[in-house]
Amino acid sequence: MLRKALGLLATAAFGFGVAQSASAADMPIKAPPAAVVVSTWTGFYIGANGGYAWAKKDWFDISDAASLGSHTAVGGVVGGQVGYDFQTGPWVFGIRGMYDWADLNGSNIVPTGTNIVSTNVRSIATAIGRIGYLFAPNTLVYGLGGAAWAQDRYRISTGAGVEFGNASETKTGYVVGMGLEHKFAPNWSVFVEYDYMAYGCVVPINENPAAPPLVPGGTTATPQVDITQQVSTVLLGINYRFGGL
């Protein structure tokens, strides 16, 4: 009797094992985990940008030791950039050149008279170095600094709008700024950036022979005008990155 019971138990165990093996064979095989693609920022890039800018202008007539007042020239900018980045760990170091066509305009009435001084900023260019930190593999926060240039045209007119003096000047200064850049595809990134630029120069104004003085009682000789300028830009841009992941 005992021998018969043991035989039945062995047969049941064997059958259960066969059933478990068949059940396991029917289970789907799990795919291996996908490889994690690590983004790299090292490489050259080229891109385009556009945005809004404002330029604070302070005019001072050196010839007559008199302030000509100040105004803010505002308008849009659009242009392009080219650069190179090098990534080491979470840090990204780079250099970049940027050129933007601009159309910033502003004017004011000379405080002690009726003449009007006007500014048109025609272009802005920068050459910068930047350092950034990746707080996510595809998202970079950065700061920048370097040299800046602005091409300006100045105009002086009577209260009736008759121009009697003008000048053009390419100003040299410095730029500092900060931004955020995000890679949304293997070779593409977008960025938002704020830049502050400061310039200063002495400009000889080309006057008509019958020009009135810039300020009442002032000289009518070709005046020397000290014009300082601070420009701020807010830019949105896109870059194509060569050879990156």
Side-chain angles (χ1 to χ4, degrees):
M1 188 71 177
L2 178 59
R3 182 180 300 175
K4 186 176 180 180
L6 290 175
L8 290 173
L9 183 60
T11 301
F14 177 76
F16 180 77
V18 171
Q20 287 292 94
S21 298
S23 177
D26 291 338
M27 292 179 64
I29 299 174
K30 292 184 178 180
V36 177
V37 178
V38 178
S39 176
T40 178
W41 290 73
T42 298
F44 290 95
Y45 62 87
I46 189 170
N49 72 84
Y52 182 76
W54 58 101
K56 175 71 162 49
K57 308 285 293 190
D58 295 298
W59 291 54
F60 185 80
D61 183 358
I62 298 174
S63 303
D64 297 316
S67 171
L68 301 179
S70 62
H71 57 261
T72 300
V74 299
V77 297
V78 63
Q81 64 276 347
V82 60
Y84 178 82
D85 284 330
F86 174 76
Q87 179 182 348
T88 174
W91 295 95
V92 177
F93 302 89
I95 56 174
R96 186 190 72 193
M98 178 179 285
Y99 181 89
D100 283 284
W101 292 274
D103 187 22
L104 281 57
N105 295 282
S107 63
N108 68 271
I109 299 174
V110 175
T112 56
T114 60
N115 293 329
I116 298 172
V117 294
S118 305
T119 300
N120 172 228
V121 181
R122 296 180 169 184
S123 66
I124 299 170
T126 58
I128 61 95
R130 72 174 189 168
I131 179 171
Y133 184 81
L134 294 166
F135 64 85
N138 291 328
T139 305
L140 177 74
V141 61
Y142 61 89
L144 62 87
W149 298 266
Q151 206 280 321
D152 293 357
R153 185 180 187 277
Y154 308 114
R155 181 174 179 264
I156 302 175
S157 58
T158 65
V162 178
E163 180 179 316
F164 64 85
N166 60 73
S168 293
E169 186 75 10
T170 298
K171 305 164 77 71
T172 301
Y174 68 88
V175 57
V176 292
M178 63 181 66
L180 181 72
E181 187 167 1
H182 177 72
K183 292 180 72 174
F184 64 91
N187 294 91
W188 292 95
S189 65
V190 292
F191 67 90
V192 58
E193 180 176 303
Y194 169 78
D195 294 326
Y196 172 83
M197 291 154 272
Y199 311 83
C201 68
V202 176
V203 181
I205 301 296
N206 304 312
E207 287 192 338
N208 297 334
L214 293 181
V215 294
T219 177
T220 57
T222 300
Q224 298 286 316
V225 179
D226 182 11
I227 302 174
T228 59
Q229 174 171 267
Q230 299 88 40
V231 180
S232 293
T233 60
V234 176
L235 303 175
L236 294 174
I238 187 168
N239 289 320
Y240 178 80
R241 296 179 167 274
F242 297 93
L245 293 176

